[in-house]
Amino acid sequence: MITLKYFASLRDIAEKEEDSLDIENPITIDQLSDIISKTTPKMGAIIRGKKVLISVNEEMASADTIIHDGDEVAFLPPFSGGAK
Amino acid sequence: MSTTTDSKIRIQLEDFSVTDEIEVMKKVSRNIGGITTFLGTGREMSKGESITKLNFEHYPKMAEKKMEEIRVQSIKDFGIIDMSIIHRIGPIDIGENIVLIVAVGEHRAETFKACEWAIAELKRTTPIWKRETTSTGEVWVQDTP
């Protein structure tokens, strides 16, 4: 099982803060976005359009990063920390 | 989420004292000859709109990890003695403290450079998000204003 986390504006779009997904074999971020698209098309489109940063186990990931059972995948909108 | 002043990397709900944080860093070494600080505060106007409230959220653990990477890289690349980075989350009023960076070094030049790089890098790499409330509604800020 992998854990999916949605932050800030993406939480509003996904309409959830956290989700879990059973995977039989390791998958890529691209494959994960296909799975998400089936249940949340808007979220899938955002992931494919690269309008979001993705981390796996708190490290930045790319489209071909492999996700394994037990991993935590987070969807991160552009950051806005701090002041000017 | 630590709230003590012992840790040089902190994300906390509570406000911080700039003076206290500087005093903590002054005790790091007797060889400190220059200290540069950056303090980010909540401003009222954003893109022509008046803000009534700010709210910050972060990705726990990853945000602290990124801030520690910035601290370590600053020490290595600029030759400063040490750095602390404190960021508040949760609701923040206009004029309140948001983020503080304290860079201490033997001389001022490296602390100025390290401090400027660190705040830019924090905004680029650290998963912290700002939600602004204005008279027209609430919006997540998705660029670095």
Side-chain angles (χ1 to χ4, degrees), chain A residues 28-62:
Chain A
T28 63
I29 295 283
D30 272 351
Q31 289 170 319
L32 176 63
S33 73
D34 289 342
I35 296 168
I36 291 172
S37 294
K38 286 173 189 162
T39 53
T40 319
K42 200 173 173 187
M43 193 67 217
I46 288 172
I47 298 168
R48 279 211 201 78
K50 302 191 188 307
K51 292 172 183 168
V52 54
L53 298 166
I54 300 171
S55 69
V56 176
N57 300 331
E58 299 153 18
E59 292 296 335
M60 284 306 174
S62 58

Side-chain angles (χ1 to χ4, degrees), chain A residues 5-12 51 53 55 57-60 72-84, chain B residues 38 40-41 43 56-59 61-62 65 87 99 123-131 140-145:
Chain A
K5 283 177 170 275
Y6 301 96
F7 287 94
S9 58
L10 297 178
R11 184 177 52 239
D12 300 340
K51 292 172 183 168
L53 298 166
S55 69
N57 300 331
E58 299 153 18
E59 292 296 335
M60 284 306 174
E72 178 175 289
V73 182
F75 299 95
L76 316 168
F79 309 142
S80 54
K84 196 170 192 175
Chain B
F38 171 80
T41 57
R43 67 175 180 278
F56 286 81
E57 79 166 58
H58 73 309
Y59 181 4
K61 289 193 291 182
M62 185 176 176
K65 190 191 283 187
H87 205 300
V99 56
K123 292 171 71 137
R124 194 178 72 80
T125 66
T126 306
I128 296 176
W129 299 274
K130 176 167 63 177
R131 191 173 177 85
W140 287 105
V141 179
Q142 296 208 340
D143 55 6
T144 51

Side-chain angles (χ1 to χ4, degrees), chain B residues 12-63:
Chain B
Q12 62 188 48
L13 281 164
E14 301 81 12
D15 195 9
F16 48 78
S17 158
V18 176
T19 307
D20 289 353
E21 300 301 337
I22 291 172
E23 285 304 316
V24 166
M25 292 305 284
K26 278 167 79 175
K27 293 188 176 77
V28 167
S29 168
R30 288 176 57 81
N31 217 24
I32 292 169
I35 300 175
T36 298
T37 62
F38 171 80
L39 176 65
T41 57
R43 67 175 180 278
E44 188 170 38
M45 297 299 289
S46 177
K47 295 171 183 165
E49 289 212 66
S50 182
I51 298 167
T52 54
K53 201 172 78 178
L54 293 164
N55 210 308
F56 286 81
E57 79 166 58
H58 73 309
Y59 181 4
K61 289 193 291 182
M62 185 176 176

Side-chain angles (χ1 to χ4, degrees), chain B residues 96-135:
Chain B
E96 283 191 357
N97 297 332
I98 299 173
V99 56
L100 176 69
I101 297 178
V102 182
V104 298
E106 287 183 32
H107 306 283
R108 68 182 183 277
E110 61 263 31
T111 64
F112 276 120
K113 287 177 192 164
C115 203
E116 181 162 27
W117 178 82
I119 185 60
E121 194 67 3
L122 185 146
K123 292 171 71 137
R124 194 178 72 80
T125 66
T126 306
I128 296 176
W129 299 274
K130 176 167 63 177
R131 191 173 177 85
E132 293 177 345
T133 304
T134 68
S135 56

Side-chain angles (χ1 to χ4, degrees), chain B residues 65-95:
Chain B
K65 190 191 283 187
K66 289 292 167 192
M67 285 161 62
E68 177 62 17
E69 285 174 12
I70 292 167
R71 175 176 169 269
V72 169
Q73 197 72 30
S74 294
I75 294 166
K76 182 169 170 276
D77 288 357
F78 297 98
I80 57 172
I81 292 171
D82 209 340
M83 172 180 278
S84 63
I85 309 174
I86 300 145
H87 205 300
R88 289 180 65 200
I89 53 162
I92 291 176
D93 283 335
I94 305 307

